[in-house]
Amino acid sequence: MNLENAMLSIEKLKEIQKEAKTARGAILKMTTLAKSGHPGGSMSMIDFLLTLYHMIDIEPDNPHWQNRDRVVMSAGHVSPAVYSTLAAVGFFDVDAAISQFRLAGSIFEGHVEPDVPGVEWASGNLGQGLSAGCGFALAARIRKTAHHVFVLMGDGEQQKGQLAEARKFAVKYKLNNLTAFIDYNKLQISGKIDEVMPNNIMDCYLADGWDVIEIDGHDLIEIRDAILDAVENDNPTLILAHTTMGKGVSFMEDQHKYHGAPIKEEHLSLALLELGQKNDLEKYKELRSRFILEKFLPKPKKDFDLKLGKPIVYKDKTDNRSAWGNAVADIAKLNPEAQLAVFDCDLQGSVKTNAFEKEMPNNFFQGGIMEHNTAVIAAAVSKEGIQTFWADFGVFGVDETYNQHRLSDINHTNLKVITTHVGLDVGEDGKTHQCIDYLGVMKNIYNFKTIIPADPNQTDQVIRYISGKYGNFLVPMGRSKLEIIKTRDGKIIFAENYEFEYGKADLLRDGSDAAMFVMGTVAGRAVEAADRLAEKGISIQLWNVSCPIDLDEDALQKAAATGTVFTYEDHNVQTGLGNSIADKMMQLGLSCKFHKFGVEDYAFSGSSEEVFKACRLDVEAVVERIEAVMRGDV
Amino acid sequence: MNLENAMLSIEKLKEIQKEAKTARGAILKMTTLAKSGHPGGSMSMIDFLLTLYHMIDIEPDNPHWQNRDRVVMSAGHVSPAVYSTLAAVGFFDVDAAISQFRLAGSIFEGHVEPDVPGVEWASGNLGQGLSAGCGFALAARIRKTAHHVFVLMGDGEQQKGQLAEARKFAVKYKLNNLTAFIDYNKLQISGKIDEVMPNNIMDCYLADGWDVIEIDGHDLIEIRDAILDAVENDNPTLILAHTTMGKGVSFMEDQHKYHGAPIKEEHLSLALLELGQKNDLEKYKELRSRFILEKFLPKPKKDFDLKLGKPIVYKDKTDNRSAWGNAVADIAKLNPEAQLAVFDCDLQGSVKTNAFEKEMPNNFFQGGIMEHNTAVIAAAVSKEGIQTFWADFGVFGVDETYNQHRLSDINHTNLKVITTHVGLDVGEDGKTHQCIDYLGVMKNIYNFKTIIPADPNQTDQVIRYISGKYGNFLVPMGRSKLEIIKTRDGKIIFAENYEFEYGKADLLRDGSDAAMFVMGTVAGRAVEAADRLAEKGISIQLWNVSCPIDLDEDALQKAAATGTVFTYEDHNVQTGLGNSIADKMMQLGLSCKFHKFGVEDYAFSGSSEEVFKACRLDVEAVVERIEAVMRGDV
């Protein structure tokens, strides 16, 4: 931020004061026209928003200008204030925003969305914006750019625990390019904050080591000075702005019912009169009726120009975790100037990111036991074009943070989530740590691809593959050392001559009596089972599926042609690979006998082998279960 | 807690001091024998744990005694300390715990689990225990019992944001029967807390309004006095206990490597010598080898003895939300003495719990914008045998809190989650608020049943049904007023003569050309589509599926017999009803043409009708899509 430009004159502030009346008018028009939306908080926050946008470095004609200051609106429901402000400073025409607000197919959605020029981050789920702001602030450090990051929040959302995580992270990493703002109007949707859920906001920020500047959030001089002080301060700073909900219209002020509801059309003229604005709603009604629904697709992002190196080929039993750790360290070594980031949540030794940290110590970030926060920070960093990995146990990297990933995906992020300790292969930690639902959970998120490698060699190739791609990927893996998968005559299958291709199933064994699909940790066991069955005269066509979200239709056709299909996984039997295969086969009109082997209930705490056995998913049990089906007993 | 009994004499404390040495020995033996586990924190917490258990009111022979004081171990990984303590005070034989620790099929799992007598709450996902403790403390108030609740936590987990939510809740509801304890050994798995993620623990508790007592966590007199002070204090109180990781064995003290790893067998004798214990590991090896794996099933809980009343029959367009609100208020009215609880997260007006609050003001709890915390509190309250409902929007009640529900389910809770604003029927709030994944997400949790009512009449019956049941249920519903579903000749289908039966599909229209399965909000639209198609000469057999997790096999057989099956839902097309139906049909060997209509990508912000249209899920589009298939175009 250019401090000289930011030192707004009194004349300029007077202009902004006038502009704020127009913006308040726009807020009322768009919400009344749409018959929904959140005018109350929009009107309490607008003075700050407008002043801020007149101070920061932006290029409205070039909204993705790399050196722009970033503004994250965490309280996504005050979209009317955001749209009015962005229009006022020139990002788009205010008539479009007013007339299309909350209209299906328009970018001017109920909650801010990054398709709108000038919007950095979709929100709507409260409490995530400060984490995103930490991510953007950290990205500036990684990219060595000087941009400042402002996070604008509501006061109600201060109740969300994720904010306490973000505060700690900002202080640990001394994010002095981060300024937070709270619109402290003391009302939330149900009523007074002091009655709904009392919260000592200032004390909480101070306890976590932030500096706090308290201001009147409707006094533009105080706003300007607070922003200047915060930007110059060498510590994360909160501007706590006392405001009035519905500010500017007498009958709306301090009324919590206007948090989430617009004023009625018959009251609009009166309100606009108080703001010195004319009521031209009819014009917008007409514009609205002429809007043509079209779908805005996110621009395709180009892949990363990184040297991906030559695959490492493991010949001896190795855990996929180590293969991931070695691959990412190798990529760092090959690309010393590249913008990479790896995040950890207090499990570095287990998730094998030490080698990467050694290679690029400044690009490794320890997020502590704060998974919600880390998921969002890593996603925001990734959105800045930094190739970003977050490694964690499956239960934390998937189960605990599903909703963070969902919102990140809506934000078109570029996050690589590497989860270890998935399935039943978690050591003795027991059912709370057995992430047997990663696929079932993540296949709900439209643009998150899941790739599950079968052994360390495939893991190496998968990590190199995703390192070259833009987009969100999950790569789950177990804990144990795995046998290297080989052909019947002992050749390593995922060796130099293999190249990972997204969506392609790997034929591990050919066969004709029945087919079996497997994923991840059990692939090696399945090879052993198939070989044992072959000795018994049952010939199994064995497919490894590393991409269960985008299935290989050819493989399904060939498998169905055998007449009997099995699926085998250490995943919840209701929602995993077997479920995806069944769904796709029905859609393709493939019919055959079909049997799923998977985890049928919460499992025990024990060694992986013991747990597989208890769940009837060890090699012996699978051989028996297949034999029983082939005999016609089941 | 009986304060007189709790005033332990110096002699008694000396005994406990001796007992603590034996317990430390047990901790070392079990972890070394299992070759895994967390001895370091177990040894720093054991002095407090043992002293506490000698002070509180418990009946080891009757672990579920209703008036017992509750102890929640939030740091589930210090299970060795918990098992040693529970054995020391008589809940079970210490030899069983030592020999079976982390052995598949034993109750002595890696992280504490409620199958162990004396364990109140499974943990292992950090940061949730204080919320569970709030729930148990609140339950005492609802049940009018005098038990005190102690929550024991690690220091590393203080980084988790959910704790900040629980602290605020405890202060708002003045839970003076709640005492927290932190084992402040300053180390977490990766190293020093001050390096991993600095955290001003005491300031954070004070900022949220708690009282803090700081003690030496190895001084039994200080421990005793702090517990007495905390119990007598009229405010939620934290005992912040400075401790030493690995306390009691010189070479383990202050070594973070012993957080998550046991000492080697060759060092055991030396360690036990320091503790004055003999090395009898061979005895336990022998016991371990003789353990027979068996599955411990949770005891079936009996249903609730509540008056469920007579169904309300709605004749005019009504929203399911109101039907739920009316039904739960009716149950409260019919059962004025019953133990019921309803939780809200700042959305009371939208989720329609006002009538219940009016009926039972003391049993309604406003949890603020703190969904993680509320999910766990409500679950813990439910586990105390209180029939507990949590109403929230789908994105918060499912997506945001999936992992909380997963852990609650492992805890055999009894929670009823009512989610409104699911599917595309959320008003104009846009994609962040469209919960189109509730089924795909929740079908991963083994004992959470999902029931999706088709109209207000079925909603009423479903709410009465679950009110009589023990167990976890999710009941999702949209926002809009829905047409009452009627037969072709105008009779209300879900009227007085209908009785909800779990797992049974409802035949809404008979037909022979094709069959269609629908769920929830779209059921009424499907009826309209079927009737329009009938006029065009296409006879559709239309099934409403309210229980997609336990499908009606008869209905599937009949549908498949038509030769063509459609599924229609405003849910993610990959993971919803269509996916469940396809999976089940493959397993049943049913083959037919199969087409899924659902949500194929993040949808727009707009009115429900506009959004349905944009997704080609409105009546007109569905009619066209079915006609195209029946003509053979698709």
Side-chain angles (χ1 to χ4, degrees), chain A residues 159-161 165 189-190 196 200 207 346 369 400 402-403 409 431 437 444 446 575 579 583 596 599 602, chain B residues 109 160-161 165 188-190 200 207 346 371 400 402-403 409 437 444 446 575 579 583 596 599 602:
Chain A
Q159 291 154 9
K160 286 289 290 177
E165 300 183 358
I189 201 165
S190 304
V196 175
N200 307 319
D346 197 28
I369 309 176
E400 176 80 346
Y402 169 71
N403 199 40
D409 196 54
K431 53 178 77 70
D437 51 5
N444 290 286
Y446 287 109
T575 61
N579 169 265
D583 190 333
K596 301 194 290 183
V599 186
Y602 299 112
Chain B
E109 302 213 348
K160 288 288 291 178
E165 300 183 356
Q188 58 191 108
I189 201 165
S190 304
N200 306 320
D346 196 28
E371 293 85 4
E400 176 81 345
Y402 168 71
N403 199 40
D409 195 54
D437 50 6
N444 290 285
Y446 288 109
T575 61
N579 169 265
D583 190 333
K596 300 193 293 184
V599 186
Y602 299 112

